[in-house]
Amino acid sequence: MSNRPPYLYRGRGRGQSSSKKTGYSVGGLVIDRKAENQKATLNKKPAAHAVPKSKEMNKQQAQLEAHWAACDDVTEGDASPDDCDQLNFHDELILENVMKSYKEGNSIVDLAQMQETLSECLQMSSLTCIICLEMIGRPDPIWSCDRCYCIFHLQCIQLWARDGIAQQQLKLSPELFRDLEINWCCPKCRKEYLKSATPQKYYCFCKKQIDPVVDSWVLPHSCGDVCGRRLLPECGHECLLLCHPGACPPCPVTVMVTCFCGKSPPVSRRCGSRGWACQRVCRKLLACGDHTCELTCHAGKCPTCSLEVEQDCLCGKQSQPRSCSDPTWSCDQVCGKALPCGNHTCCQLCHIGSCGDCPRKGLRHCPCGKTEHVLPCTEEVPVCGDTCSKMLTCGVHQCSRSCHHGDCGQCLQLSVRRCHCGRKERELRCGLEVLCEVKCTNQRSCGRHQCRRKCCDGNCPSCENTCGRPLKCGRHKCAAICHSGSCYPCTMTEEVACACGSTILTVPCGRKQYTPPPQCRSMCRKPPTCHHKERKPHRCHPGPCPHCRQLCNKRLSCNHNCSSACHSEPQMPPMRRPVGLAPWEKFNPADQPAIVKPCPPCKHLVSRQCKGGHETSEMPCFEAHSYDCGQRCGRQLACGNHTCQRGCHVIVNSPDSCLAGDDCLECELPCMKPRPSDCAHLCPLPCHKSDCPPCDVLVKEKCYCATMHLYIKCNEWTSANDDQRQALLSCTGQCTKQLLCGHRCPQPCHSGACPAADKCQRKVTTRCACRRIKKEFRCPEVTDVACDAQCIRIQKEQELVSLVCVLAYNLG
């Protein structure tokens, strides 16, 4: 079996290389390892705008030769050509061509963010459409947002826009909103776009070319021309990079600008960072007009004056220290100045200017406003005696009182009113609202939940629940307010790191498992899988590192060094098909367990104790182990009354050398501790050290009124005093015994005799002899009710009527 590591047999996720293949590809070049004269040929003819000049061709040829030399060095170091970072070399040429306009001598403008964006664009595995969570390939038509510059598939963003517009059209009435322009939002930054701005064609990043040609020497989805977009913030210059994704970098043009405060002479600075501070005091006049700015040279307007000065209020009665920037203030007190009439004072709050004429001067009206009077300001306007007729607060009825001072009050008329939903009606005082308890069953704007609001008038509020539908990433749920239509893509991101962790690629949530690790040109920092501190230096790679060939020299437990070759690294066993495996059954060698060779045994004699620590014996180092001495354990058990009778064994989690451990035998004898008085039950626990638990056996007793049996816990009965026992024997129901008066005892179930009859609280109804007069008395206070004069008069009238009837019968 070859000792070469597996990562040297394959490329970086771009297919398995063949042993018969004589060449390999570097970007758009095909490199033949056998040909000596012809080093590179183009597989595809580049576009007209991407044809390099002769000088650039010579420069690229020199870089290729240096790259071949590096590949030769790697091959000599037991590596394959596919292990060379071919795409990184190709990417460097593209990045250098894109940003060559920003080079000035040996310095380059700060383009770290732009370089990261371009690198992600070159690595196709890092470009993911967050709508469908699929990878964006070089030939795929795309669209990018103008604000967040997120890239989507053209078909995905078109479908997204159509769905968003359709959902909004369902909510709006076509009759009322016929000419309304409906917007749709970017799935990531939520920027709104008009319906007319829905992308229809595939443009390059700078929007100059439709359907840009796929070229291996140009950025994907780029036209290869100068970007030419206006830089932000507006400075009048244009972007000098070639057509690129993302925001344009800061303006690199050199301009002469002065500091923020304008005191320092102009200096040469980049247009993108033209603002600078001279660290001097600003000294600009503030808005108050009395003080100057004491801050150091700063951008923007100077802040308001923060000094405090003594300032009077509007009426001039009070003064207090206040901020210089806020000189006008009111003391919130009544002005109190004498009015021109000389009889009244100003009732306005602290104000500026004159108080004006007396409000009681001139023509005045009675309270109802129907009669006019011209009276001195010292006299009150009399009421006119006519009906007030002012509109009440209900807005329907008028005040029916005579002309009066003060408020008319609330409307007292009754009217039949319907509730908001129109299902119930009720007669009540005018001005009050009727609300029923019927819940609305209409669907809210989300189309998933009912309104469920009581007495709804039909204008159901928007849904306030959380959407909660699973997103396409499969790991999170939509946290937005419940809505109709598709949910916005997951905003979370995941990081895909190389083996050493120095190169990290950020991908949308849900794409981590489909994204290969990014390529890294750093040295491998994986720790050795064996016991050595260092391994042979090599570059960062996926998969395991080569096997260690150093001497073991490991310090054994017996303080001797192992002299064999390093064997502490796990090794795969030979690829042998297991016996009994059918021919059609699959066999994966990676499923076999790894083999780790141990160090040879040490035969030095060492001292070992028995399992229970009773004695010590000498034995060879490789056979050293704890043994059974044959004695009893003898450690005190947890009950505190007996010792472990198990044979010599390993003591686990013992607090000291005398107490038993977790693996010692437990005492199985019954508890012999005395029980509380009046308790005839045994302790349910085995022999134990702590106090016995309370007795929970139920004791059957009759209540005082003998109507039911009560079940009382034994520990509650034995620990209760006399008063508590009386409470336990009470069923809390009404006593069934009768008092001497014939009524039932009103007290709950109790011990002893029932209360006397004079304590009865029942009410008794008593009538007079003629049964006309009826009175109620407490049971002990019952007395006879005597007939009054009216009763006697009624009796006499009844006797007279009877006598007349008898005489009429006799005469008749």
Side-chain angles (χ1 to χ4, degrees):
M1 180 177 178
S2 175
N3 295 328
R4 297 176 61 170
Y7 78 91
L8 294 181
Y9 287 99
R10 61 178 182 268
R12 296 180 179 263
R14 294 174 181 82
Q16 189 75 19
S17 61
S18 174
S19 59
K20 298 180 181 181
K21 191 174 180 180
T22 60
Y24 62 96
S25 172
V26 180
L29 299 179
V30 176
I31 302 173
D32 193 348
R33 304 298 296 170
K34 291 185 177 181
E36 297 180 356
N37 298 328
Q38 187 177 1
K39 288 288 186 177
T41 58
L42 291 174
N43 286 338
K44 179 181 178 182
K45 184 178 180 180
H49 61 268
V51 176
K53 299 180 181 180
S54 58
K55 293 183 179 180
E56 295 182 356
M57 287 293 294
N58 295 335
K59 184 178 180 180
Q60 293 176 1
Q61 186 67 23
Q63 292 177 348
L64 287 175
E65 292 177 357
H67 175 68
W68 293 325
C71 291
D72 292 338
D73 295 340
V74 174
T75 306
E76 293 177 0
D78 208 13
S80 66
D82 287 342
D83 188 57
C84 301
D85 202 347
Q86 302 167 7
L87 186 59
N88 278 349
F89 169 73
H90 183 222
D91 294 350
E92 289 178 358
L93 298 180
I94 297 178
L95 292 178
E96 181 181 0
N97 190 30
V98 172
M99 295 187 296
K100 64 181 179 180
S101 299
Y102 273 71
K103 288 188 177 181
E104 293 184 2
N106 295 327
S107 62
I108 303 180
V109 182
D110 185 13
L111 299 174
Q113 183 66 30
M114 178 56 63
Q115 289 180 353
E116 182 179 354
T117 304
L118 296 179
S119 299
E120 292 181 358
C121 183
L122 287 169
Q123 297 183 20
M124 287 292 98
S125 59
S126 64
L127 284 181
T128 304
C129 177
I130 64 175
I131 298 178
C132 63
L133 292 182
E134 296 293 338
M135 186 179 68
I136 300 177
R138 283 178 175 266
D140 296 342
I142 64 165
W143 176 85
S144 60
C145 178
D146 297 338
R147 178 190 291 174
C148 62
Y149 302 102
C150 185
I151 300 177
F152 309 91
H153 286 121
L154 182 61
Q155 294 181 351
C156 293
I157 197 65
Q158 289 174 346
L159 180 61
W160 176 272
R162 286 197 298 268
D163 290 346
I165 294 172
Q167 291 297 333
Q168 295 188 44
Q169 288 177 343
L170 291 176
K171 302 177 184 178
L172 301 176
S173 173
E175 298 177 356
L176 300 177
F177 303 95
R178 182 175 304 172
D179 299 331
L180 179 64
E181 184 76 17
I182 301 178
N183 301 336
W184 57 275
C185 299
C186 170
K188 185 176 182 181
C189 67
R190 313 292 175 90
K191 178 186 176 182
E192 292 189 354
Y193 291 90
L194 298 176
K195 180 180 180 181
S196 58
T198 304
Q200 302 295 336
K201 297 181 180 180
Y202 168 36
Y203 287 91
C204 64
F205 294 116
C206 64
K207 310 297 183 183
K208 293 180 181 179
Q209 184 177 350
I210 301 177
D211 296 332
V213 181
V214 179
D215 192 344
S216 59
W217 288 99
V218 179
L219 279 175
H221 317 290
S222 171
C223 63
D225 294 335
V226 177
C227 176
R229 289 182 286 185
R230 288 286 182 177
L231 297 177
L232 297 176
E234 285 288 346
C235 62
H237 303 117
E238 298 178 349
C239 179
L240 301 179
L241 292 179
L242 298 186
C243 182
H244 61 89
C248 296
C251 182
V253 178
T254 303
V255 293
M256 299 295 292
V257 291
T258 183
C259 63
F260 294 119
C261 65
K263 295 182 179 181
S264 300
V267 296
S268 177
R269 293 182 62 86
R270 299 284 183 185
C271 183
S273 57
R274 60 193 308 161
W276 63 284
C278 64
Q279 304 303 323
R280 298 180 184 178
V281 180
C282 179
R283 301 295 183 187
K284 291 182 180 179
L285 188 64
L286 298 178
C288 64
D290 298 328
H291 306 97
T292 58
C293 179
E294 298 297 331
L295 299 178
T296 56
C297 183
H298 60 88
K301 296 182 179 180
C302 296
T304 57
C305 185
S306 59
L307 296 178
E308 290 188 354
V309 294
E310 195 76 16
Q311 297 180 2
D312 295 335
C313 64
L314 296 176
C315 64
K317 290 184 177 181
Q318 296 184 5
S319 63
Q320 64 181 14
R322 292 180 59 85
S323 175
C324 181
S325 61
D326 188 15
T328 303
W329 67 284
S330 174
C331 62
D332 295 334
Q333 294 185 4
V334 178
C335 177
K337 294 180 182 179
L339 296 177
C341 66
N343 300 319
H344 302 94
T345 57
C346 180
C347 298
Q348 302 181 38
L349 295 180
C350 179
H351 63 89
I352 191 172
S354 62
C355 298
D357 295 334
C358 181
R360 301 166 63 91
K361 178 182 177 183
L363 185 65
R364 289 186 286 170
H365 294 81
C366 65
C368 68
K370 297 179 181 178
T371 307
E372 297 179 351
H373 298 274
V374 179
L375 299 173
C377 65
T378 56
E379 296 184 10
E380 295 291 341
V381 178
V383 295
C384 64
D386 196 359
T387 305
C388 178
S389 301
K390 290 182 180 179
M391 187 64 67
L392 297 177
T393 55
C394 66
V396 179
H397 305 99
Q398 295 178 350
C399 179
S400 59
R401 296 168 55 188
S402 61
C403 181
H404 62 88
H405 292 282
D407 190 12
C408 295
Q410 296 182 353
C411 182
L412 302 179
Q413 296 190 26
L414 298 178
S415 61
V416 178
R417 300 176 64 87
R418 282 189 173 273
C419 62
H420 290 174
C421 63
R423 301 182 182 181
K424 305 288 183 180
E425 63 180 15
R426 182 180 176 185
E427 184 180 10
L428 73 167
R429 196 173 63 190
C430 184
L432 300 180
E433 293 184 354
V434 181
L435 296 176
C436 66
E437 297 295 325
V438 180
K439 293 183 179 180
C440 179
T441 58
N442 294 336
Q443 293 289 332
R444 295 196 177 187
S445 58
C446 64
R448 298 172 57 193
H449 302 97
Q450 292 182 349
C451 177
R452 307 301 296 168
R453 189 173 59 167
K454 292 182 179 180
C455 196
C456 180
D457 57 356
N459 297 325
C460 302
S462 58
C463 187
E464 298 177 354
N465 299 329
T466 305
C467 179
R469 287 183 289 187
L471 300 177
K472 288 189 178 181
C473 65
R475 300 179 58 185
H476 303 97
K477 294 183 178 180
C478 181
I481 299 298
C482 190
H483 58 89
S484 58
S486 302
C487 297
Y488 279 90
C490 182
T491 58
M492 306 295 290
T493 57
E494 297 178 301
E495 292 183 350
V496 180
C498 63
C500 66
S502 60
T503 304
I504 299 177
L505 184 65
T506 303
V507 297
C509 181
R511 286 293 304 175
K512 184 176 182 179
Q513 56 182 338
Y514 306 108
T515 305
Q519 300 175 6
C520 179
R521 306 193 70 179
S522 303
M523 299 304 294
C524 179
R525 295 200 295 264
K526 289 184 181 179
T529 54
C530 61
H531 64 281
H532 294 104
K533 295 182 179 180
E534 296 179 354
R535 63 167 78 236
K536 184 178 178 181
H538 57 282
R539 289 189 302 171
C540 178
H541 60 88
C545 295
H547 298 302
C548 181
R549 295 304 177 193
Q550 306 179 48
L551 292 179
C552 178
N553 203 23
K554 186 186 295 184
R555 194 75 171 178
L556 302 178
S557 58
C558 58
N559 293 330
H560 296 94
N561 295 334
C562 180
S563 58
S564 61
C566 182
H567 51 79
S568 59
E569 184 178 7
Q571 298 181 3
M572 295 300 296
M575 298 175 57
R576 296 178 181 176
R577 192 176 183 84
V579 179
L581 192 66
W584 57 84
E585 295 181 357
K586 295 182 179 180
F587 167 65
N588 188 7
D591 295 339
Q592 300 183 97
I595 299 176
V596 180
K597 295 181 180 179
C599 293
C602 180
K603 298 183 180 181
H604 289 268
L605 296 177
V606 293
S607 299
R608 289 288 183 273
Q609 283 188 344
C610 65
K611 296 179 180 179
H614 304 106
E615 61 182 27
T616 303
S617 300
E618 298 288 336
M619 60 184 63
C621 182
F622 74 97
E623 295 180 352
H625 64 282
S626 298
Y627 61 94
D628 186 357
C629 65
Q631 303 181 27
R632 296 284 183 183
C633 175
R635 289 179 177 255
Q636 187 177 8
L637 298 178
C639 65
N641 304 321
H642 308 90
T643 58
C644 179
Q645 299 300 314
R646 183 180 173 185
C648 182
H649 62 91
V650 178
I651 308 300
V652 180
N653 296 334
S654 176
D656 54 24
S657 59
C658 299
L659 297 179
D662 295 345
D663 54 347
C664 290
L665 296 176
E666 296 182 358
C667 184
E668 299 179 353
L669 297 176
C671 178
M672 300 299 179
K673 292 186 178 182
R675 305 295 292 169
S677 59
D678 298 337
C679 179
H681 309 104
L682 297 178
C683 178
L685 299 179
C687 182
H688 56 91
K689 187 176 182 179
S690 59
D691 296 337
C692 295
C695 183
D696 293 335
V697 179
L698 299 178
V699 180
K700 182 179 180 181
E701 296 289 344
K702 276 190 175 183
C703 66
Y704 292 115
C705 57
T707 58
M708 62 186 304
H709 291 282
L710 302 177
Y711 292 90
I712 307 171
K713 290 186 178 180
C714 180
N715 66 308
E716 295 180 358
W717 177 259
T718 56
S719 61
N721 53 25
D722 294 341
D723 296 338
Q724 293 175 346
R725 289 190 177 186
Q726 289 184 6
L728 291 174
L729 290 178
S730 175
C731 65
T732 68
Q734 186 178 0
C735 181
T736 58
K737 300 176 183 178
Q738 289 186 351
L739 302 179
L740 296 177
C741 61
H743 297 123
R744 187 176 176 181
C745 178
Q747 294 185 357
C749 181
H750 61 87
S751 61
C754 295
D758 58 352
K759 302 295 183 181
C760 183
Q761 301 297 324
R762 294 286 295 274
K763 291 185 178 181
V764 180
T765 304
T766 306
R767 295 178 179 269
C768 62
C770 65
R771 304 189 66 79
R772 188 185 70 83
I773 302 176
K774 180 178 68 174
K775 292 185 178 180
E776 289 186 355
F777 300 91
R778 288 181 58 252
C779 182
E781 300 174 354
V782 175
T783 58
D784 295 336
V785 180
C787 294
D788 56 3
Q790 186 176 358
C791 292
I792 296 172
R793 181 178 60 78
I794 294 173
Q795 291 178 2
K796 289 181 178 181
E797 291 177 355
Q798 291 178 355
E799 291 176 357
L800 182 61
V801 171
S802 299
L803 181 60
V804 171
C805 292
V806 171
L807 292 176
Y809 179 77
N810 294 331
L811 297 176

